């Protein structure tokens, strides 16, 4: 195993100077830092993190309690963004996944403490209110993709309302005036916010109530969410005859494409289609390719770690909710 003394000898500096570089001391001369980092790379030196934690007042460890994020293909980017930002800030991200069969956020919080985590990020797999135990008030905390219903904790969430407003405005600016919004379960937070954004854009364009329709394509039966997109889309297209359809997610848009094809209607020519999620390869494999709003999971993960480190250092004390802008990937569907 390569030692810190071997690194010092190769770089031609003192043991203490190498130690300061390893511990991110900004006062080290740049020329010495460059030599030491080159020696570390050449020798393959790995700092002893446990020893560093004992020596330092701060552990440089951030706990991330994941409520099923790592099992969700889209929201897993929250973890990727958090990890990347933690590395940039010289922090180690320790991820703890909540077991849905035996949920215990408090137990995972205790594990974070045992690893001397300086603070905790709590992330959820979809935008929702989360009431955390009072134990979470005992250390710096940032919630991501979720929020405290009493607004007493810092949180990072997607700006769903602005996203719906933006995409609806684009549809209206392109001349679509008879729009059907196939929304998700109306009880979830994102669906409510997107509806508000959708209606706000319509009001700005003075669209009459008989020129738009809103339908839910999900229903809850005995606690299970069921997709009813095809039957709803078929009925809306037959009865309302929209010139554009805004879909609550890309999987809804996929079903809408099938319904339109069966009816002999061409996407973008006979009817415009837009969506939310910009999920994986779905928008690109559809023909024509689907214009979809990307949820800013990666950016939210980065923002959560930045916010937490600022809380830990005292640079920031506000517990206000931060809304991250969503981006429309414009393609060929409208």
């Amino acid at each position: 195993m390569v030692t810190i003394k071997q690194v010092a000898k190769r770089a031609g500096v003192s043991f203490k100077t190498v130690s300061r570089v390893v511990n991110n001391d900004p006062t080290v001369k740049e020329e010495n830092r460059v030599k030491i980092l080159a020696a570390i790379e050449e020798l393959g030196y790995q700092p002893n993190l446990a020893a560093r934690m004992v020596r330092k007042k701060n552990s440089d460890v951030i706990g991330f309690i994941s409520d099923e994020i790592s099992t969700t293909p889209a929201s897993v980017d929250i973890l990727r963004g958090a990890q990347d930002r933690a590395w940039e800030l010289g922090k180690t991200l320790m991820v703890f996944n909540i077991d849905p069969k035996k949920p215990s956020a408090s137990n995972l919080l205790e594990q974070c403490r045992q690893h001397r985590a300086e603070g905790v990020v709590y992330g959820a797999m979809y935008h929702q209110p989360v009431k955390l135990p009072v134990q979470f008030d005992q250390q710096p905390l940032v919630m991501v993709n979720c929020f405290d219903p009493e607004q007493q904790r810092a949180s990072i969430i997607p700006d769903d309302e602005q996203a719906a407003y933006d995409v609806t405005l684009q549809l209206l600016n392109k001349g679509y005036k008879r729009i059907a919004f196939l929304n998700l379960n109306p009880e979830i937070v994102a669906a409510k916010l997107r509806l508000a954004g959708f209606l706000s854009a319509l009001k700005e364009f003075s669209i009459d109530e008989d020129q738009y329709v809103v339908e839910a394509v999900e229903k809850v039966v005995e606690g299970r969410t069921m997709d009813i997109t095809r039957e709803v889309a078929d009925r809306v297209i037959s009865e309302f005859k929209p010139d554009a359809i805004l879909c609550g997610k890309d999987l809804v848009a996929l079903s809408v494409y099938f319904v339109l094809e069966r009816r002999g209607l061409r996407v973008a020519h006979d009817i415009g289609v837009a969506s939310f999620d910009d999920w994986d390869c779905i928008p690109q494999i559809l023909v024509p390719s689907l214009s979809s709003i990307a949820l800013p999971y990666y950016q939210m993960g980065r923002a959560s770690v930045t916010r937490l480190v600022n809380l830990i250092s005292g640079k920031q004390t506000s517990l206000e909710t931060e809304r991250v802008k969503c981006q429309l990937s414009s393609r060929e569907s409208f």
Side-chain angles (χ1 to χ4, degrees):
M1 179 183 293
V2 178
T3 68
I4 197 169
K5 290 184 178 179
Q6 290 173 303
V7 173
K9 182 177 180 180
R10 177 62 61 91
V13 298
S14 69
F15 169 93
K16 289 184 178 180
T17 303
V18 176
S19 179
R20 287 163 59 200
V21 169
V22 169
N23 288 290
N24 298 313
D25 187 335
T27 64
V28 178
K29 292 181 179 179
E30 186 60 27
E31 59 181 299
N32 286 337
R33 185 184 302 278
V34 171
K35 288 193 295 184
I36 291 167
L37 292 176
I40 287 174
E41 177 72 20
E42 183 179 347
L43 297 174
Y45 171 70
Q46 296 291 330
N48 187 324
L49 295 179
R52 286 175 61 189
M53 287 174 62
V54 170
R55 290 193 302 269
K56 293 183 64 176
K57 180 179 179 181
N58 298 325
S59 67
D60 284 335
V61 171
I62 291 174
F64 192 113
I65 297 179
S66 165
D67 185 355
E68 297 188 73
I69 285 179
S70 59
T71 64
T72 310
S75 57
V76 72
D77 274 349
I78 293 175
L79 276 175
R80 189 168 61 86
Q83 179 69 82
D84 287 353
R85 186 58 178 147
W87 276 115
E88 292 171 6
L89 295 173
K91 304 293 182 181
T92 298
L93 193 73
M94 300 191 72
V95 180
F96 301 87
N97 290 299
I98 293 178
D99 184 348
K101 296 179 181 179
K102 296 181 292 184
S104 180
S106 297
N107 288 345
L108 294 183
L109 177 62
E110 183 56 35
Q111 290 188 45
C112 290
R113 288 174 177 163
Q114 289 177 10
H115 287 86
R116 294 183 57 205
E118 298 175 13
V120 174
V121 175
Y122 183 96
M125 66 182 291
Y126 65 90
H127 188 176
Q128 60 185 291
V130 175
K131 184 66 176 175
L132 293 174
V134 294
Q135 293 95 318
F136 279 82
D137 292 329
Q138 298 172 11
Q139 67 288 301
L141 169 74
V142 174
M143 303 174 72
V144 61
N145 210 28
C146 57
F147 60 92
D148 176 23
E150 297 179 3
Q151 304 290 311
Q152 296 301 308
R153 296 185 170 108
S155 61
I156 311 289
I157 57 174
D159 197 340
D160 281 296
E161 183 171 350
Q162 185 66 44
Y165 172 84
D166 289 343
V167 69
T168 305
L169 213 59
Q170 287 227 21
L171 287 167
L172 294 168
N173 280 323
K174 285 202 171 184
Y176 296 102
K177 292 293 188 292
R178 193 171 179 83
I179 304 174
F181 183 15
L182 303 187
N183 205 357
L184 305 179
N185 177 355
E187 296 304 312
I188 66 175
V189 171
K192 293 177 181 179
L193 292 172
R194 292 173 186 177
L195 176 58
F198 173 73
L199 295 176
S200 179
L202 294 179
K203 182 178 180 180
E204 189 170 313
F205 265 68
S206 301
I207 302 297
D208 293 333
E209 289 187 7
D210 62 351
Q211 293 297 104
Y212 69 87
V213 66
V214 179
E215 293 273 358
V217 294
E218 294 178 341
K219 66 178 181 179
V220 179
V221 178
E222 296 180 351
R224 295 183 60 188
T225 300
M226 297 181 59
D227 181 273
I228 53 173
T229 297
R230 295 202 182 191
E231 58 187 85
V232 171
D234 205 45
R235 173 170 51 79
V236 167
I237 292 167
S238 175
E239 298 177 2
F240 178 67
K241 296 179 172 55
D243 60 12
I245 297 177
L246 177 58
C247 303
K249 59 183 178 181
D250 292 345
L251 288 175
V252 170
L254 180 61
S255 293
V256 167
Y257 268 57
F258 284 125
V259 172
L260 291 172
E261 183 179 20
R262 190 177 70 245
R263 285 179 160 270
L265 297 171
R266 297 172 300 167
V267 174
H269 294 278
D270 301 313
I271 189 165
V273 179
S275 182
F276 292 88
D277 281 356
D278 201 27
W279 185 50
D280 200 31
C281 61
I282 290 178
Q284 287 89 357
I285 65 174
L286 290 174
V287 180
S289 56
L290 175 65
S291 294
S292 185
I293 288 272
L295 294 176
Y297 291 125
Y298 180 80
Q299 293 83 356
M300 288 162 55
R302 291 182 59 87
S304 67
V305 171
T306 300
R307 181 81 172 271
L308 181 62
V309 170
N310 286 339
L311 287 173
I312 292 168
S313 66
K315 291 181 180 178
Q316 190 172 2
T317 58
S318 171
L319 301 181
E320 291 183 358
T321 297
E322 179 181 341
R323 292 171 175 81
V324 181
K325 184 177 176 60
C326 306
Q327 295 293 329
L328 174 64
S329 296
S330 295
R331 299 189 179 92
E332 301 168 344
S333 60
F334 74 86

